[in-house]
Structures are given as structure tokens and as C-alpha cells.
Amino acid sequence: MIIYLDLNIFDRIEKIDFLEGSDKDEYLQLLDLISNDNIDLPYSNAHLNDLLRGWKKNPNYINGHLTNIQKLTKDLCICQYWGQKNVWWHKRDIFDFFNSKKDDLDIFDETLDEMFDFGLGNNSPIHLTKKVPLPYEWVSKIKKDKFAQLMFPATIQQSSLYSLFADLYSFQIRLKSDYSFYKVFKAQLSKYISSLKNNKDAINYIRKNDQAPNHLKLDFFSIIDAYKPKSEIKENDNELYYMVIETFYKFDLQGYKTDANFNNMFDDGLHTFYASHCDVFITNDERCKYKAEKTFEKLNINTLVIKSNEIDKISDLIT
């Protein structure tokens, strides 16, 4: 049996000596369960993503976290590497993997200027786009939209193609780093999606393209699926990866058990993807548990999602 643990479970096991009463008994039972020779316990780059955020705040405890995970997993790693069609199951030293991810932190440029500079400064060709104006009508419209004012500040002031590129580049960075901005963006996106329910043209379009019977209630997923960009899955892409992450995010957008932090939400989706390759996913994160269960249900994935105090559901399955 393969069991995938959320980081919150690894963390509690690491602190097991400091737990008391029923909490300690609960995790001692779990530790005994996962120590069974018939249990495989992997870690993933999603765990490392979680740890990197903690390392940025306080690096003093990282070695203890890594040592604990290494001891429990024996360096068994599951990872979806870019350009690979399937996940890799392999042995990889968790310290080595973590350090390689730390090295990658500095490769992302903070601004469009940095990204296209290449040592050329103002002579970089990207600056030619500053001379290309944007349509006056479009700029006038976004000036009146409150969220557009947050999303396109430079565009509104400068009205150039360069400023639009710069705002879009900054936008994707802010979604990951500015929690309040992500919260506003998600609320606005949900508002726009929900508003389509009252649009007769939208409803007819969705029903026509989805071939859904007219008596069926139009739901959140139908709206998103009908209006999302038609992205092409490349030959070397893992289709399951996109399906799980996308489905997980859709449930997050619905607003119930939602996450205000984009990075947390994405990594929970990534944990869910890796858990889909395992028999059991154990997490005490209520938001992640709910969306993982709903994602597996929608995609007909048989992974069982439980909390740490529900191991009786699988104890009898282990011989």
C-alpha cells in the first residue's frame, strides 16, 4: 500500500515527543501503521515547496524537517518533472533536492526589464514596445473598472504595449506574493463566472457545446469549461496533472473551503495530484481534504482521503 502524507502530518510526527494525551496516542498509532514493511511512503516536490516558504521565514528548523521526512520516506520521491509524460518514482536525497530548489529561487526576474535586459539596458529591443500605443477605447474602459485599476496601473498611466506587458508580468508575480491581491482577484473572477448564470446567450452556448439536457441545472463547472481557453495538451504532457490541478482549482473558486493564498492552494493541488497515484492521502487540512475528495470523486480516482484520526479505515487492509 502506498500512503501519501500531507506536510502537516509529517510535522506532527516530527513533534511526537512533545505531544500529550490522545494527540500523542493518535500519532503513535499512525507512526506504527506507516512503519509497516508493506507501506511505501513517498515525499514530493510539493512538500519541498511548502518547506521553502518556511525556510524563507526561518531557516533554522529546515534540517530537522528534512531529516524527519527522509527517515520516514527513506528518500522515496514522486515527482512530475517538466517535459515528462509521467511522474517519476525514484530514490532522491531530499537534502539534495531541497538545495537544488533553493538554487532555483533566484532565477526568476522580478520585472519585465530584468527578464529582457540581457545586459543591454535601454538598448534592449523590449523597449521598442514603449512606442506602440494601445487603443484609446480599451484603455478608457479599463480606467473605469476597479479591479482593472489594480491589475493594469502602468497601462492606465502610460497606455503603451510595453506597459501592458509589464503589468501582465507583474500580475502573475503579485498573485503568488500578495495574499490580499489574490483574494480580490479570486472574488472578482468568481463574480464574473457566476454572473454568466443569468446570461441567456451564455446558457444557450454552454448547453449547445456541452450537449447538456435543458432540464439540468447550470453549474459552476459548466460555465468555466465552456469559457476557458482551449489549451492543447502536448505529446509529452501529463494529462492527469492538468486535470487534477485544474479540477482542484475549480473547487477552490467555488468559494467553499477556499484558500486565500495562491501558493498554498497550488501546492495543495499538487499534493492532491501526487496522492492520486497512491492508495491513501492523509491530511488534517480541512480545505485540502475537502477539495481533494471532491477532485477524486469528479475524476473517478480511487484514492482514499482521511485524517490522521481515521486510520482505522485502512488498518484492516494492511497485512
Side-chain angles (χ1 to χ4, degrees), residues 83-271:
Q84 298 294 325
K85 191 171 181 61
N86 298 301
V87 300
W88 276 38
W89 288 89
H90 59 309
K91 293 280 187 175
R92 182 167 182 180
D93 185 283
I94 193 172
F95 284 88
D96 174 70
F97 200 173
F98 182 80
N99 288 329
S100 71
K101 290 187 72 66
K102 276 200 310 183
D103 294 339
D104 289 342
L105 286 178
D106 297 327
I107 68 174
F108 298 103
D109 299 307
E110 292 295 324
T111 67
L112 196 68
D113 281 347
E114 293 176 4
M115 183 177 183
F116 289 98
D117 184 80
F118 300 114
L120 297 175
N122 289 332
N123 292 323
S124 173
I126 189 64
H127 292 288
L128 294 175
T129 58
K130 291 180 178 179
K131 299 179 180 180
V132 181
L134 295 171
Y136 173 80
E137 296 79 6
W138 184 77
V139 176
S140 297
K141 286 187 176 182
I142 67 171
K143 284 182 178 179
K144 300 175 183 177
D145 186 280
K146 290 185 178 180
F147 182 74
Q149 293 169 12
L150 294 174
M151 186 173 176
F152 302 107
T155 303
I156 291 173
Q157 288 186 356
Q158 302 167 20
S159 301
S160 69
L161 186 61
Y162 175 87
S163 62
L164 177 60
F165 289 160
D167 278 337
L168 290 173
Y169 189 80
S170 175
F171 173 72
Q172 56 89 24
I173 293 178
R174 289 183 66 192
L175 280 181
K176 299 176 183 179
S177 59
D178 187 336
Y179 301 160
S180 61
F181 183 73
Y182 173 65
K183 186 176 181 179
V184 172
F185 165 73
K186 189 165 62 172
Q188 191 75 4
L189 183 58
S190 296
K191 177 183 175 182
Y192 286 148
I193 293 173
S194 297
S195 69
L196 292 173
K197 291 183 179 180
N198 299 320
N199 186 317
K200 292 182 179 180
D201 291 336
I203 293 174
N204 290 333
Y205 176 85
I206 293 167
R207 285 175 173 163
K208 177 181 178 182
N209 284 274
D210 287 356
Q211 296 181 343
N214 291 334
H215 67 275
L216 290 182
K217 181 180 179 182
L218 189 66
D219 62 18
F220 201 81
F221 274 73
S222 297
I223 294 172
I224 296 178
D225 290 340
Y227 281 86
K228 72 178 182 180
K230 302 299 182 182
S231 56
E232 180 181 353
I233 302 296
K234 299 178 182 178
E235 183 178 350
N236 289 330
D237 285 342
N238 187 336
E239 188 172 358
L240 180 63
Y241 172 88
Y242 292 101
M243 289 173 59
V244 171
I245 299 295
E246 183 179 276
T247 303
F248 188 93
Y249 185 46
K250 287 176 183 177
F251 280 115
D252 187 78
L253 274 178
Q254 284 186 309
Y256 182 64
K257 302 287 186 181
T258 189
D259 203 313
N261 184 322
F262 176 86
N263 289 325
N264 287 345
M265 184 282 302
F266 178 81
D267 285 330
D268 282 348
L270 195 55
H271 282 305

Side-chain angles (χ1 to χ4, degrees), residues 1-3 33-40 279 317-319:
M1 177 179 286
I2 304 174
I3 297 178
L33 175 76
I34 62 179
S35 299
N36 190 299
D37 290 338
N38 294 321
I39 297 294
D40 287 318
D279 299 298
L317 302 178
I318 302 172
T319 57

Side-chain angles (χ1 to χ4, degrees), residues 195 260 272 284 286 303 317:
S195 69
T272 300
N284 285 342
E286 290 284 355
T303 301
L317 302 178

